[in-house]
Amino acid sequence: MNITEDIIIEERTSLTAEMLNKINAYWRAANYLSVGQLYLRDNPLLKDPLKLTHVKNMLLGHWGTTPGQNFIYTHLNNIIKKYDLNMLYISGPGHGGPAVVAGTYLEGTYSEVYPEITQDTEGMKKLFTQFSYPGGISSHASPQTPGSIHEGGELGYSLSHAFGAALDNPDLIIACVVGDGEAETGPLATAWHSNKFLNPLGDGAVLPILHLNGYKISNPTILARISGEELEQLFRGYGYVPIFVEGSEPELMHQAMAAALEQAMHLLKQIKYNAYEHPNSVHSKWPMIILRSPKGWTGPQEVGGHKIEGTFRSHQIPLSVSAADPESHLQLLEKWMKSYKPEELFDENGRLMPELADLAPKGDSRMGSNPHTNGGLLLKPLRMPGFMSYSVPVPEPGVKGEGDVHVAGRFLRDVIKQNPANFRIFGPDETVSNRLEAVFETTNRQWNSEIKDDDEYLAPMGRVMEMLSEHQCEGWLEGYLLTGRHGVFNCYEAFIHIVDSMFNQHAKWLKTTREIPWRTKIASLNILLTSTVWRQDHNGFTHQDPGFIDHVVNKKSEIVRVYLPPDANCLLSVMDHCLRSYHYVNVVIAGKHPSPQWLDMDEAVDHCTRGISIWDWASNDQDCDPDVVMTCSGDVPTLETLAAVSILKEHLPQIKVRVVNVVDLLKLERQSEHPHGLNDHDFNELFTTDKPVIFAFHGYPWLIHRLTYNRTNNPNIHVRGYKEEGTITTSFDMTVLNEMDRFHLVIDVIDRLPQTGSKGTYLKQKLQDKLVEHRQYINAHGQDMPEITNWKWAD
């Protein structure tokens, strides 16, 4: 809806008798198609008496939410066409897949993307047969469904996706159906507050439609059982103007829903106008619709002595029809489907009657073909500043750095400058804490609530979105990406686990859409993790968990990437690569505290391009085979490995050491398992086939064993990493607690190289004594011993 257009909307407009009949017929058609998807594989128009051979052998799917969603979709079509709106539809109770499929089939979109599902009797038969059928489509509003940006297989994220889609889309309205069961989830309950962030001038509008049908799978829902007064107070307190549509009698409900949408459009138009006239005003009260209708509306009233419509028993398949069931069930199914009067809805060839087909919007105005729902169609490449110009000088390895993420912040600042309308940074109140404060030199945090004089970086418009809810940050970003934009989610490493399940669903979405020809690629989901396990000096054990990496690598190899840059220049190279990429989940783990810098910019680019390489300047095996391969992945593991190598060079110079650093973690997998993986020859060239490999890793050590289990030299790979030992302590002591410090790494080498002889035995004892001394020093002083604090890489 464009604020410059003169749209006159009457708040309460009754449907004419003719329009009422047409809308009701269209709704009946959608319900008929939905029941057909649940039950039939033949005889789609019931021209012959219904037989068991016409019914699927396995009945799978969900009826309960479907008729209500068909009702909503039908009325949204009417309001779109009436005012030429730009609107997309999100099915929060995603089990209502039959409704979204039916809606897009009736409007013609489905047949356009799937030409074999024609708009005739044969196409209808195929439409019915494929639903929840081997080789067909799932019962959710899945990626296969045109018009969907939201996988309905898991509840809770619809409203977050809706608000993310609205950002930077000022003319777009997102109609988001929220199920009352879904509304009980943590992410959804928090998502109502997203209205405090939406800017009516620069962003679109979200119209939440809370669908109260009373029940979950087998229990009543909370919001359906509280009083109407409490329900209204709840949503007014959230900052909405609730518009109620309640009942079960179709004629009255159609009139009420049409009037509710008219009122909602009037309020949205007023919000847009007020924002244009008063751009600095406090956030508006956004409209929402609360639709209370029976669960399983228009379905069987009673089966086997149990009430069905309006109860939890209508949630899935409300009527079992098989050879084991009474014959009356088959007759009841036929009666149910014929109650929609298909002969009035479809012609002899199975096509929707022309006067009904005319109710749907045309072209891209159809919700199933809105370009925003296939975001790659709208995706524009980022304008990227040259990342090499942000490099830090590294005249020699080991120079002190200012914090790797701090350096990357300046790069992201200028990415924002060059992309003021299609790039955002999301994070849970941690942008400054995570040392990305440079971005506030060019933008603010978007915030449309009260702003006080001593607040920092708050404004009605901004490119940084912060809310202390990882769920919302992830959901906003997903909605933003799915509708054709770019972004980064920055988070404390330990708390990214909060969105494990959301990451799962997005990764599955990316995997599935790669296999759908009409789906276009979208920008990658970029997750920057910092405040890592090894540098939680004042937070302690609660903030120490690097396990998100393990979770990520479970997903399909064509989707996930994991990067552990060892210094700032490598981080710049990695971030540039990730922001330019499409259709991946890129997880980047980097430190924010001052730390040594190892590679100049040219070396960093070369190293990151390879993803894994030998650091010749740190090795001494250039003219022979190594005795040991010292490997590291992550900034702190790199530091500890190089410190260990320095000790070995000083005290056991006869040992030939090769240093290998891993930036792209999935280089460790075989090429047959991951497209970035090394082939066996190249892996063996790096790690040898028979020499000890001492691997210092940022995360849990068993992940490295898992990635390398099928390599020739796997039995000789010994991994040090996080072992779930932590407390409030120094960064070096954290490595000692988990036995990944330089002393343990040297001891590992000595234990595996008998040729070190008495010198090795002596050094090992000295290092063990040093570990005891360290513990005593920590207990007495609460800080590291001076010689460790002042340690510097020695060439």
Side-chain angles (χ1 to χ4, degrees), residues 65 68-73 76 88-94 100 150 155-159 162 174-180 182-183 188 192 206-213 257 289 291:
T65 181
Q69 289 201 60
N70 284 333
F71 180 82
I72 294 167
Y73 203 98
L76 292 175
L88 63 84
Y89 180 88
I90 292 181
S91 172
V100 189
H150 175 79
L155 305 180
Y157 317 140
S158 59
L159 204 52
I174 298 91
C176 180
V177 182
V178 177
D180 48 355
E182 180 191 19
L188 199 289
W192 296 110
V206 175
L207 177 63
I209 304 173
L210 176 61
H211 186 201
L212 291 178
N213 61 29
M257 189 64 175
I289 293 173
L291 171 64

Side-chain angles (χ1 to χ4, degrees), residues 210-476:
L210 176 61
H211 186 201
L212 291 178
N213 61 29
Y215 294 90
K216 304 183 284 282
I217 293 176
S218 59
N219 272 295
T221 56
I222 295 170
L223 295 183
R225 291 292 177 94
I226 64 177
S227 70
E229 180 184 12
E230 185 179 348
L231 188 67
E232 182 174 3
Q233 288 175 347
L234 175 67
F235 286 102
R236 286 195 180 278
Y238 274 139
Y240 295 91
V241 177
I243 306 167
F244 287 83
V245 178
E246 302 176 293
S248 60
E249 202 288 310
E251 182 174 332
L252 296 178
M253 289 290 280
H254 285 306
Q255 292 286 10
M257 189 64 175
L261 282 170
E262 293 278 357
Q263 184 179 353
M265 293 305 110
H266 173 80
L267 291 173
L268 291 179
K269 179 66 177 177
Q270 193 64 47
I271 288 169
K272 288 280 188 178
Y273 177 79
N274 290 343
Y276 184 75
E277 291 291 313
H278 310 286
N280 295 317
S281 61
V282 176
H283 80 93
S284 305
K285 298 279 188 179
W286 294 87
M288 67 174 294
I289 293 173
I290 298 179
L291 171 64
R292 194 187 297 268
S293 64
K295 194 174 182 79
W297 195 9
T298 74
Q301 297 293 305
E302 184 179 295
V303 177
H306 294 290
K307 185 181 178 183
I308 302 298
E309 186 188 79
T311 76
F312 67 88
R313 294 184 180 89
S314 65
H315 181 76
Q316 294 178 317
I317 299 295
L319 174 66
S320 177
V321 180
S322 71
D325 292 303
E327 186 177 347
S328 60
H329 283 205
L330 182 65
Q331 297 167 353
L332 186 54
L333 173 61
E334 186 173 30
K335 180 181 178 182
W336 175 16
M337 295 192 71
K338 285 189 173 181
S339 72
Y340 298 118
K341 301 179 181 179
E343 69 280 0
E344 297 179 2
L345 311 174
F346 304 97
D347 65 18
E348 281 295 312
N349 297 316
R351 299 185 68 86
L352 187 66
M353 294 296 187
E355 64 271 20
L356 300 183
D358 192 52
L359 293 179
K362 307 304 179 192
D364 288 348
S365 293
R366 296 170 296 177
M367 290 185 286
S369 63
N370 189 304
H372 293 90
T373 65
N374 194 1
L377 295 174
L378 304 175
L379 185 63
K380 297 178 181 178
L382 287 174
R383 298 177 61 195
M384 297 290 287
F387 71 93
M388 297 180 73
S389 64
Y390 302 86
S391 66
V392 297
V394 183
E396 59 178 353
V399 298
K400 186 176 180 180
E402 57 185 311
D404 300 348
V405 177
H406 183 67
V407 174
R410 296 192 285 268
F411 171 64
L412 291 174
R413 173 199 64 200
D414 293 345
V415 174
I416 290 173
K417 278 184 183 179
Q418 296 193 27
N419 301 275
N422 69 333
F423 177 81
R424 288 183 183 247
I425 294 176
F426 300 79
D429 189 35
E430 293 162 2
T431 306
V432 172
S433 175
N434 285 337
R435 301 297 307 278
L436 293 172
E437 68 276 9
V439 300
F440 294 120
E441 296 172 16
T442 193
T443 190
N444 289 295
R445 301 179 178 98
Q446 183 156 313
W447 175 262
N448 276 277
S449 196
E450 180 185 7
I451 299 176
K452 296 185 177 181
D453 291 341
D454 55 352
D455 288 331
E456 279 192 328
Y457 313 129
L458 295 184
M461 287 188 179
R463 311 312 300 169
V464 176
M465 303 291 294
E466 286 194 337
M467 183 177 179
L468 193 50
S469 167
E470 286 82 357
H471 287 129
Q472 300 321 309
C473 298
E474 174 75 13
W476 288 342

Side-chain angles (χ1 to χ4, degrees), residues 550-564:
D550 302 61
H551 183 61
V552 169
V553 300
N554 288 331
K555 299 303 159 195
K556 294 293 289 187
S557 61
E558 64 263 31
I559 298 302
V560 295
R561 307 286 186 265
V562 179
Y563 299 99
L564 295 109

